[in-house]
Amino acid sequence: MGMPIFDINTRWTRDVYPELGTDPVPVEPCISPEYFALEQERIFRKVWLYVGRVEQIPNWGDYFVREIAGQAVLFVRGRGDAIRGFHNICAHRGNKIVWDHDGSCRWFTCKFHGWTFDTEGSLKGVPDEEMFDNLNKSAHGLIPVATEVWEGFIFANLDPHPKETLAEFLGEYGQRMSGFPYGDMTTCFSYRTELHCNWKIALDAFSEAYHVDFVHKRSFPGQFSGKRNPLSHLPEVRLYPYHRSCIVYRNPDFQPPPVAALTAKYRTSPLTQLATMQTGTELPPDVNPTRSPNFAFELTGVFPNLLLHITLGSWFTHQFWPIAVDKTIWEGRLYSYPPKNAAELFALQWNNVMARNAWLEDTGTMEATHAALAPGVKTHFVLQDQEVLIRHSYKVLEDFVGFYAEGRGAGTNGGRQK
Amino acid sequence: MNASRLPEQFADLEPLVSEWALAKQEDREKKRVASTAEEIRAFYDTMLPRMEAILAYLSQFPVEGIPEQAKALLFLTFSLTEISAFVEFYDCERIVPNSFAEHRFVAMHKDPLV
């Protein structure tokens, strides 16, 4: 990648990332059960996936369980502070070890026959142990899942022998997004829901700013777009081998209505403190490096299923967990500094409600889109230049899945529209 | 109930307390959906002129240990955050226009101060 460009008039796909091409992109990856199965095998059981924050399990013995590609994984903080992942399976006859979504304990005991494991996953106790012939307890701990932490983000990899470390997987993206005070912004506002759509339809809907003037015309009538940038064109796009990133601008001319304006005195927000927002105070040096006062937030995509956004005084994520070709768990989380007083709590609450409202608008399109696409009548998405992050996401997806490279797909020519 | 539930200087807002001083977001959402556009507008119009003073008052209390009367006042402002966008952005509609079914959003956070 050459020198970063900062210009809303840039033609990102055509001129900066021409290797992505400008052809329509096939719909098949969103509706094909065969594609879904390959994704599960070649992506969700092979690459590093974000599973939770270190603050969720601050103390020895704190744990949570995550379902990943049909496998339940237990994440626990050990005695020596390390966070480890284990398959949630008893070493004896395979019963589920932990039945809660989260909790805290000093050892895990299987309900079936009372086998006991410590927080490091070692088998410690076996009732009637002498009745097992040649039982080597040290060989029958919980089955580990590769688990690493970046900036307080816990990632796991179901591959017993991951092809690369988390640092290698995150690469230049991870270096650039480091140094933000994620761990200080711990007040979390969050929702989840099950969506009857493919996970990528949900992911894509959050991966461009083109929709803002339409889907969010009621909630954001001018906070982002305005005379200077009528359709929220992206001033910067950076694509990495797996991951992607862009700046979304705000509209400096926006005048917030009364309650929105009141909150601005007590809370930094890209939605309110528009005229006075100070930029650059907390951002990593290479995020909004020009320190443009028009910066609203950095929208980034971590392959495959995480969107991470950073802004001033808060950060937020969207994550998409594939359950079936047409079923997805979406989770939205907004993190802020803990409010220092009751007035700040009011402002924070307003911010949270606006996020909820916007997310209700975002999720409002997804199931209808999937239902319309499912019959396969429409074969390709038509993407404009500003939808470059979506185009890049499908390119990386196919790099891993190799569906078209292996000649799969119904009458397709490498996925290109005939 | 004769005892004032709000700090003395905000006694004029007392009639709002029973209906709108709601600690839980779920209850505020229900109240919003169950209200008429006129009721939402009236609550907004009563609260707004008092907000500068309310926030100046609330800003003196750390989040831990807010006195009960100030807490009731804060919960009134929480209801204002719940409905303000509906007045300022959604023409007093009671659900976000053209949106996902709100009841399907499952909150994973806990309400503050509850």
Side-chain angles (χ1 to χ4, degrees):
Chain A
M1 196 168 66
M3 288 294 287
I5 298 166
F6 302 94
D7 184 354
I8 58 169
N9 299 311
T10 308
R11 291 293 290 255
W12 296 105
T13 318
R14 190 188 67 192
D15 298 339
V16 183
Y17 299 105
E19 65 276 16
L20 294 176
T22 54
D23 291 342
V25 167
V27 165
E28 201 167 18
C30 291
I31 60 171
S32 156
E34 185 187 4
Y35 203 101
F36 180 84
L38 289 169
E39 275 175 356
Q40 292 281 290
E41 176 192 327
R42 296 176 182 179
I43 297 175
F44 286 88
R45 295 192 191 107
K46 290 289 180 206
V47 308
W48 291 97
L49 301 167
Y50 169 55
V51 296
R53 285 285 305 176
V54 294
E55 293 86 5
Q56 290 171 241
I57 45 174
N59 302 310
W60 170 33
D62 292 351
Y63 64 82
F64 65 86
V65 177
R66 253 285 172 211
E67 194 88 19
I68 309 171
Q71 302 179 13
V73 183
L74 164 66
F75 296 94
V76 57
R77 192 181 285 266
R79 229 180 322 243
D81 224 28
I83 292 171
R84 297 177 178 82
F86 302 102
H87 289 276
N88 190 18
I89 305 170
C90 182
H92 175 217
R93 278 168 50 202
N95 189 38
K96 188 157 99 172
I97 290 279
V98 170
W99 291 67
D100 305 323
H101 292 298
D102 53 62
S104 187
C105 64
R106 292 299 160 89
W107 54 83
F108 299 102
T109 303
C110 182
K111 289 181 186 182
F112 202 176
H113 302 92
W115 282 37
T116 303
F117 304 84
D118 68 12
T119 53
E120 280 66 43
S122 302
L123 175 59
K124 288 302 192 190
V126 176
D128 220 2
E129 185 177 343
E130 58 276 19
M131 296 303 288
F132 288 87
D133 294 312
N134 308 315
L135 179 69
N136 175 8
K137 287 216 295 270
S138 66
H140 295 288
L142 297 175
I143 303 165
V145 172
T147 301
E148 293 187 30
V149 176
W150 168 81
E151 292 283 312
F153 293 78
I154 307 165
F155 283 75
N157 191 324
L158 290 179
D159 189 337
H161 306 287
K163 302 288 178 291
E164 49 195 350
T165 64
L166 176 60
E168 288 164 348
F169 176 74
L170 292 174
E172 194 187 334
Y173 167 90
Q175 291 164 28
R176 181 166 165 250
M177 292 291 284
S178 294
F180 187 73
Y182 302 100
D184 295 335
M185 303 179 191
T186 50
T187 299
C188 181
F189 173 85
S190 53
Y191 284 104
R192 78 200 307 264
T193 196
E194 184 179 287
L195 295 164
H196 301 287
C197 71
N198 187 267
W199 66 279
K200 296 182 296 297
I201 288 174
L203 168 72
D204 297 350
F206 286 107
S207 297
E208 36 83 2
Y210 187 24
H211 73 283
V212 171
D213 266 0
F214 306 96
V215 165
H216 300 308
K217 68 180 173 192
R218 303 299 293 269
S219 293
F220 302 144
Q223 287 92 325
F224 297 100
S225 58
K227 277 185 195 151
R228 303 172 198 222
N229 190 6
L231 282 158
S232 297
H233 281 185
L234 306 174
E236 187 205 26
V237 173
R238 298 202 210 183
L239 304 180
Y240 301 94
Y242 305 147
H243 317 299
R244 57 202 70 94
S245 182
C246 67
I247 289 176
V248 175
Y249 266 175
R250 67 191 182 89
N251 171 20
D253 303 322
F254 180 69
Q255 295 297 323
V259 173
L262 275 170
T263 67
K265 291 186 182 172
Y266 296 95
R267 199 91 209 154
T268 303
S269 161
L271 298 179
T272 54
Q273 205 154 0
L274 301 182
T276 57
M277 191 163 69
Q278 298 295 308
T279 59
T281 51
E282 312 162 325
L283 295 172
D286 200 23
V287 173
N288 188 27
T290 66
R291 295 305 185 232
S292 166
N294 296 342
F295 175 85
F297 56 85
E298 187 82 14
L299 185 171
T300 80
V302 179
F303 181 77
N305 67 335
L306 173 67
L307 296 176
L308 167 62
H309 313 69
I310 62 176
T311 179
L312 299 165
S314 67
W315 57 281
F316 55 105
T317 60
H318 293 291
Q319 200 167 18
F320 312 91
W321 292 99
I323 306 300
V325 66
D326 57 355
K327 197 186 284 185
T328 298
I329 300 290
W330 161 82
E331 297 169 339
R333 293 184 172 82
L334 171 61
Y335 293 84
S336 308
Y337 284 115
K340 289 194 290 291
N341 60 55
E344 286 192 9
L345 194 48
F346 153 79
L348 178 63
Q349 187 61 32
W350 181 87
N351 243 30
N352 292 347
V353 168
M354 286 310 296
R356 178 203 66 195
N357 293 353
W359 295 347
L360 285 167
E361 290 173 333
D362 285 309
T363 47
T365 65
M366 298 166 183
E367 294 183 340
T369 301
H370 189 99
L373 292 174
V377 174
K378 177 166 178 57
T379 60
H380 286 74
F381 297 112
V382 182
L383 300 181
Q384 66 126 314
D385 196 89
Q386 291 285 318
E387 293 167 302
V388 61
L389 265 57
I390 297 175
R391 191 179 287 283
H392 180 252
S393 170
Y394 281 101
K395 189 243 176 221
V396 180
L397 186 86
E398 174 59 12
D399 287 347
F400 276 84
V401 174
F403 187 79
Y404 296 107
E406 292 173 7
R408 301 175 195 245
T412 54
N413 171 25
R416 283 189 291 277
Q417 195 164 26
K418 284 175 290 188
Chain B
M1 214 178 298
N2 296 321
S4 175
R5 289 168 293 179
L6 293 176
E8 198 180 339
Q9 63 269 48
F10 301 106
D12 55 309
L13 301 175
E14 188 72 29
L16 299 175
V17 171
S18 299
E19 297 268 314
W20 292 98
L22 302 169
K24 293 183 180 172
Q25 187 173 336
E26 189 186 348
D27 292 334
R28 295 191 294 271
E29 289 169 0
K30 283 184 188 155
K31 174 66 180 163
R32 185 193 82 227
V33 174
S35 299
T36 64
E38 291 72 27
E39 287 164 342
I40 286 175
R41 182 89 227 182
F43 175 67
Y44 179 94
D45 288 343
T46 310
M47 287 290 287
L48 189 62
R50 305 290 278 125
M51 280 304 289
E52 294 268 5
I54 291 172
L55 293 175
Y57 177 79
L58 290 176
S59 67
Q60 67 182 307
F61 300 111
V63 172
E64 302 300 326
I66 303 173
E68 282 307 307
Q69 288 179 324
K71 211 184 262 187
L73 190 63
L74 178 62
F75 291 149
L76 280 181
T77 74
F78 280 7
S79 281
L80 183 66
T81 70
E82 182 58 45
I83 60 97
S84 71
F86 292 81
V87 175
E88 294 178 347
F89 296 123
Y90 312 140
D91 298 329
C92 283
E93 294 192 44
R94 287 162 300 155
I95 58 167
V96 181
N98 300 314
S99 72
F100 191 73
E102 194 174 329
H103 67 89
R104 289 176 59 194
F105 265 28
V106 179
M108 297 186 286
H109 56 271
K110 293 191 179 78
D111 283 309
L113 308 177
V114 174

